[in-house]
Amino acid sequence: MVWHGLRIKAILVALGIGLICLFGGQFLYEKYGYQQALYQALAKQPQVADFVVSTENGQLVVTVRLRAPGNLMLTYQELKRLTGEALGNRPFTLKIADNRDAVLEEVFYRSQFAIYQALAQGSFREMEREVSRYAQAAGAEARIYIDNENLYVTLTRGDHFLAAVICRSEPPRATGGATPYA
């Protein structure tokens, strides 16, 4: 079939081959480009049980399930560094999956007021005492670590543990609306 001197079948075949190469190349890049490097980096870590890579809002989300909490701050920093090296300049979010139970969730729920108050006011010693008190009442142990970026809370009870990484930076403030009188 010829249309204005062009062979339509040849054009469609070339278009199909081009699309197959394009999508096939993208698949191979994702499979062997960053995923293989990420697998090699994280699989060697003794604290990593497994991990899953997904995409949310165009950003990679790497969810790592830990075997045991250990020092959550050091573990998180190392996993973030290794993930960043494996992914290069791709933006990502690192999430930690744990082995929590209902008791640990309740302790964390009851501790959130003290945690967020400490983040707002800087009363970290008071927060540590409060969280430890809630944990001991439930028969659990609390470990809290802090750095310039995050607050790390680990609650352990028997074979279960809860690992929470809470960002210390302020959430964005709302803008707009009426201007208050000065």
Side-chain angles (χ1 to χ4, degrees):
M1 179 176 191
V2 177
W3 181 66
H4 293 282
L6 300 172
R7 289 193 275 173
I8 302 298
K9 287 183 182 179
I11 291 173
L12 291 176
V13 168
L15 179 65
I17 290 172
L19 288 174
I20 288 172
C21 289
L22 180 69
F23 289 117
Q26 177 69 24
F27 172 77
L28 291 175
Y29 171 73
E30 287 185 12
K31 176 83 171 154
Y32 298 107
Y34 73 85
Q35 286 187 358
Q36 192 67 23
L38 187 60
Y39 177 78
Q40 289 175 352
L42 295 181
K44 294 177 184 176
Q45 299 304 308
Q47 65 271 31
V48 174
D50 62 7
F51 67 93
V52 176
V53 179
S54 60
T55 304
E56 291 179 12
N57 300 325
Q59 185 175 27
L60 289 176
V61 177
V62 180
T63 304
V64 178
R65 189 170 59 85
L66 300 177
R67 294 183 198 282
N71 183 328
L72 184 59
M73 179 178 71
L74 296 178
T75 299
Y76 185 83
Q77 290 171 346
E78 180 68 8
L79 293 176
K80 189 172 182 181
R81 183 186 66 78
L82 291 171
T83 302
E85 289 175 0
L87 295 179
N89 60 356
R90 290 175 149 258
F92 71 93
T93 300
L94 179 62
K95 292 185 178 180
I96 300 295
D98 52 28
N99 181 19
R100 60 183 65 188
D101 63 3
V103 172
L104 294 177
E105 284 182 352
E106 179 65 23
V107 170
F108 185 66
Y109 173 75
R110 298 182 100 214
S111 301
Q112 285 185 5
F113 179 77
I115 291 169
Y116 287 101
Q117 180 180 10
L119 289 174
Q121 297 177 350
S123 55
F124 295 108
R125 289 183 187 266
E126 183 181 325
M127 179 260 310
E128 192 276 331
R129 284 191 297 270
E130 193 77 13
V131 173
S132 293
R133 187 172 59 82
Y134 288 135
Q136 286 177 351
E141 178 187 357
R143 297 175 90 191
I144 298 172
Y145 306 95
I146 190 167
D147 64 14
N148 291 332
E149 296 178 12
N150 299 309
L151 177 74
Y152 307 88
V153 179
T154 304
L155 301 172
T156 308
R157 183 175 158 270
D159 292 339
H160 297 282
F161 68 94
L162 180 146
V165 179
I166 303 165
C167 184
R168 288 186 61 191
S169 65
E170 288 188 62
R173 295 178 184 236
T175 59
T179 305
Y181 295 107

